[in-house]
Amino acid sequence: MKRTTVRRAGVVALALTSLMGVGATAQADAQRLANCGDGASFCLFEHDDYAGARQDFLFTGPSGGCANAGPLNNKASSMRNPSGRRIQFYNSANCAGSYGYAAAPRSSDSDLTNNNFDNLTSSVKSVNP
Ligand SMILES: [Ca+2]
Ligand SMILES: [Ca+2]
C-alpha cells in the first residue's frame, strides 16, 4: 500500500516538471526571436547575449539582398534572425568573397565565438533557405 502511494507522488511530480519545462522553453523561444527592432528581418549585437549596440536590418524584395554591418563592422558578437531566410555572414564589405557563417531561418546565436566569427562580420546577405 505504502509503496503505491509513493510511486503515484513520483508520477505527479514528474508531470509537473514536464509542464513547467515546456512553458519555459516556449517563453525562451519567443524571447530570443523577439527584440530586434520592430519589423526588422535580422539584427546584430555588439556583445555576447544580445547586449551592447544593436544594428537592425530590413531585407525586402527578392532573396540575395546584401547589407554592410555599419557601426558594428568587425564588432558583432551575437545575432537574432527572426526572418524565414538564411543569413550569410561575410568578413568583407558588400558580401564579397565567400561567407564564413550562415544563420538558419528563425534562429539566434548568443555568442559567435564558437562559429569562428566573433568581431569579424562586415556584411550580411539574406538568401532563401
Ligand atoms: Ca563584439
Ligand atoms: Ca570583417
Side-chain angles (χ1 to χ4, degrees):
M1 275 301 257
K2 210 168 195 180
R3 197 179 270 173
T4 310
T5 310
V6 169
R7 268 195 200 143
R8 267 187 201 146
V11 168
V12 169
L14 243 174
L16 277 174
T17 307
S18 311
L19 275 175
M20 283 165 66
V22 168
T25 304
Q27 201 171 31
D29 277 351
Q31 200 174 30
R32 71 192 170 91
L33 290 179
N35 218 13
C36 278
D38 273 350
S41 314
F42 170 73
C43 56
L44 291 172
F45 296 85
E46 182 181 6
H47 303 310
D48 291 349
D49 299 317
Y50 322 109
R54 187 189 78 205
Q55 180 77 19
D56 289 336
F57 298 86
L58 181 60
F59 292 111
T60 56
S63 165
C66 173
N68 287 328
L72 288 190
N73 185 36
N74 297 330
K75 287 182 182 171
S77 296
S78 57
M79 69 87 196
R80 282 190 168 116
N81 177 22
S83 80
R85 288 183 178 169
R86 202 158 65 100
I87 305 290
Q88 295 174 347
F89 293 60
Y90 295 80
N91 195 350
S92 305
N94 304 312
C95 301
S98 54
Y99 66 89
Y101 168 60
R106 286 173 285 275
S107 70
S108 63
D109 198 322
S110 62
D111 183 359
L112 296 173
T113 304
N114 59 346
N115 310 103
N116 296 317
F117 230 67
D118 191 46
N119 296 337
L120 288 179
T121 307
S122 295
S123 58
V124 290
K125 187 187 273 187
S126 164
V127 299
N128 281 325

